[in-house]
Amino acid sequence: MSRLYPWLESVWHEWQASLQSGRFSNAAMLVAEPGLGGEQLIDVFSRAVMCSNYEHEACGFCHSCQLMQSGNHPDFHLVKPEKEGKAISVEQIRHCNRQAQESSQLGGLRLFIIEPAESMNESAANALLKTLEEPSSHCLFLLVTHRANSLLPTITSRCQQWHLIPPSSESVACWLSEQTKKSVPAFAAHINNNAPLTTLAFVDEGKDKQYSKLEQALLDVVQGKGDALKLAKELSTDTADKLTWLWFLLTDAQKVHFGVQLPQFTPGAASIAASSDYALLYSQAQALSQLIEQLREHTGLNSELLILDWLFKFNGETCL
Ligand SMILES: [Zn+2]
């Protein structure tokens, strides 16, 4: 078995025990934030389920394992959007439903991985519901989702749910320092939701330096001496990531007002807190999280102008 990321091991051991005792549900769901390496867990799981020799891990030698290695196992079905960003269609799910009625070709289980499950449109989700209500004993469905709350409750309630819990900021920083052979600060993990692989990319791509510049630029704006126009322009590329980093900075600064100081806090949190009162930080953090959501849902908006208006509000002004 290939080595798993350390934070996946506890879920994998539980899954292995379930598989070995035949208790793994025929309808299961994995809730995993991006950047946690959930795909590695799914890969190991799929190989184990398809292996003809063992129940809880892949032997690597049997015919089934070899078919999995070459990506040609006829009883393994990976269902995902036909194009990135598109929906999983009702036709795709109906095709699954038909396959689920048939016995497996190699005599073992048929495995369906549906990923990301939230990309099923409503009719696709409804079509799947019927199969999940009475899954046949020779089929196993694993739905993988980043956002369980965007799925129909009727779907989630029929699945045994598993959640991948992100490690702490300190353990992510420690793991990354080992991987990269350089010191990675805990705040880097913190502003990336403690997702180790996202943080690794953050460090590898030099985004930590980019963050430091943004932090200083925001502090200047909060102190009334910065260039809000320049910062708004800067924030209008890779907007979701950059605004999320600043959201962490503002929420850390709010906690500083309550006397909290944690090792993973953003370096500028104390200075922001010293330059702005709690109420303003609170309302600006709320407004920022709404802005992030608004820009995510409506791609055609003028992000630079909306960000500029948000920045102006630090000084009680508005540009809209
Ligand atoms: Zn095998």
Side-chain angles (χ1 to χ4, degrees):
M1 190 188 85
S2 58
R3 207 174 133 68
L4 277 176
Y5 294 126
W7 58 91
L8 301 176
E9 279 171 7
S10 63
V11 171
W12 174 233
H13 291 152
E14 281 188 67
W15 282 15
Q16 283 190 300
S18 268
L19 286 171
Q20 214 162 4
S21 59
R23 284 182 293 107
F24 201 94
S25 170
N26 293 83
M29 177 180 293
L30 176 68
V31 183
E33 292 284 326
L36 287 175
E39 52 285 354
Q40 196 188 50
L41 184 64
I42 295 156
D43 182 53
V44 171
F45 170 78
S46 303
R47 289 169 192 273
V49 169
M50 301 318 289
C51 175
S52 320
N53 279 334
Y54 303 136
E55 256 118 34
H56 66 296
E57 64 180 314
C59 73
F61 302 106
C62 69
H63 185 48
S64 272
C65 280
Q66 283 171 1
L67 286 170
M68 282 301 278
Q69 277 158 20
S70 61
N72 288 319
H73 202 301
D75 299 324
F76 174 71
H77 310 281
L78 178 60
V79 186
K80 51 184 189 181
E82 281 164 358
K83 275 189 190 157
E84 209 182 315
K86 297 279 176 212
I88 292 177
S89 67
V90 67
E91 287 76 22
Q92 285 175 280
I93 296 298
R94 283 188 188 137
H95 185 59
C96 285
N97 289 346
R98 282 194 296 274
Q99 285 171 317
Q101 302 291 321
E102 298 164 9
S103 50
S104 64
Q105 296 198 31
L106 267 70
L109 284 168
R110 266 191 196 275
L111 173 61
F112 297 86
I113 307 279
I114 301 182
E115 183 189 15
E118 65 268 22
S119 69
M120 282 187 287
N121 60 28
E122 200 176 331
S123 39
N126 282 324
L128 181 65
L129 202 55
K130 294 189 188 79
T131 308
L132 288 184
E133 273 167 357
E134 293 162 14
S136 81
S137 57
H138 64 267
C139 286
L140 203 158
F141 282 83
L142 176 64
L143 279 62
V144 184
T145 178
H146 300 315
R147 296 197 309 270
N149 56 7
S150 55
L151 288 168
L152 290 178
T154 40
I155 293 271
T156 43
S157 65
R158 273 165 184 77
C159 296
Q160 183 182 17
Q161 288 189 37
W162 302 84
H163 291 254
L164 275 189
I165 310 292
S168 69
S169 305
E170 285 87 350
S171 25
V172 174
C174 185
W175 180 76
L176 283 173
S177 300
E178 276 171 29
Q179 301 297 311
T180 59
K181 310 282 180 228
K182 58 186 178 190
S183 167
V184 174
F187 87 84
H190 172 56
I191 64 171
N192 285 293
N193 286 310
N194 293 337
L197 304 182
T198 316
T199 314
L200 178 61
F202 175 85
V203 175
D204 274 352
E205 292 163 20
K207 290 184 178 172
D208 43 348
K209 291 172 197 72
Q210 209 178 359
Y211 169 76
S212 300
K213 281 187 192 156
L214 291 175
E215 189 184 76
Q216 184 57 50
L218 184 70
L219 180 63
D220 289 345
V221 167
V222 171
Q223 292 176 342
K225 58 180 186 188
D227 186 342
L229 274 168
K230 192 175 164 203
L231 179 56
K233 196 171 182 55
E234 181 69 40
L235 291 171
S236 65
T237 56
D238 295 330
T239 308
D241 285 349
K242 290 174 182 171
L243 292 183
T244 304
W245 302 340
L246 296 183
W247 180 86
F248 276 100
L249 172 62
L250 294 187
T251 50
D252 289 349
Q254 286 172 65
K255 291 174 192 154
V256 172
H257 272 290
F258 287 105
V260 182
Q261 257 300 0
L262 296 173
Q264 72 270 25
F265 273 9
T266 39
S271 308
I272 294 271
S275 310
S276 186
D277 64 35
Y278 173 80
L280 180 61
L281 290 176
Y282 174 80
S283 67
Q284 283 293 76
Q286 293 281 98
L288 183 54
S289 90
Q290 282 163 11
L291 181 56
I292 294 169
E293 192 61 18
Q294 197 183 4
L295 294 173
R296 193 175 67 80
E297 281 180 13
H298 310 283
T299 45
L301 293 173
N302 184 337
S303 55
E304 197 174 325
L305 185 64
L306 291 168
I307 293 167
L308 186 62
D309 187 56
W310 172 73
L311 288 171
F312 275 4
K313 286 180 182 146
F314 276 105
N315 301 300
E317 297 160 18
T318 180
C319 70
L320 287 178

